[in-house]
Amino acid sequence: MSVPKQQFTAEFKQEAVRLVRTTGKSCAQIARDLGVPPHYVVRWKQQQDTQTASGRPAFTGRGIPALSPQEARLKELERELEIARQERDILKKALACLGQNSTRMGLGRFFAKQP
């Protein structure tokens, strides 16, 4: 029988790291006091140090990497660009279909490129 995975809130993790920094106790002692495995507190402290050093918020949860505002904006713009490219490609295909159909129907002169 498997043990369900423990999940902790961002506030709990931040409080555990704050306790390590302010009380002078070791990560293992804080972990025992909180009733969590010691390697959790060590990992949370390392994650917070890494995220703080890079200017990102820590403990976003569920394995989702925290993005800085610039990275989030870049990701949003890349998504918009991909949508615009897809729309452009659809319009190109539609125009090509219209051009083929118009020549079959004798409307080629309307869709012919003007010099």
Side-chain angles (χ1 to χ4, degrees):
M1 202 178 273
S2 64
V3 177
K5 184 178 178 182
Q6 293 178 322
Q7 293 186 359
F8 302 97
T9 64
E11 293 79 20
F12 182 84
K13 294 175 184 180
Q14 289 170 345
E15 183 62 21
V17 173
R18 189 191 64 76
L19 287 172
V20 169
R21 292 200 169 120
T22 58
T23 62
K25 294 182 182 179
S26 68
C27 291
Q29 180 61 45
I30 296 297
R32 277 192 296 274
D33 293 345
L34 295 174
V36 298
H39 64 277
Y40 281 16
V41 177
V42 171
R43 185 175 44 197
W44 296 339
K45 186 175 181 289
Q46 290 171 344
Q47 286 175 345
Q48 191 175 46
D49 291 342
T50 303
Q51 296 295 70
T52 303
S54 64
R56 299 176 176 170
F59 309 124
T60 56
R62 299 203 173 227
I64 301 169
L67 299 176
S68 68
Q70 294 85 7
E71 290 171 325
R73 179 70 177 143
L74 178 62
K75 193 169 189 169
E76 177 186 343
L77 290 173
E78 287 173 344
R79 194 175 318 119
E80 288 178 13
L81 178 60
E82 181 59 30
I83 291 169
R85 283 182 177 154
Q86 290 173 359
E87 290 172 348
R88 178 204 60 198
D89 292 344
I90 290 170
L91 291 174
K92 278 184 177 179
K93 290 176 184 177
L95 187 58
C97 288
L98 283 175
Q100 289 175 354
N101 288 338
S102 64
T103 55
R104 289 183 194 149
M105 296 171 32
L107 301 174
R109 62 188 170 156
F110 292 114
F111 291 103
K113 293 183 181 178
Q114 300 295 326

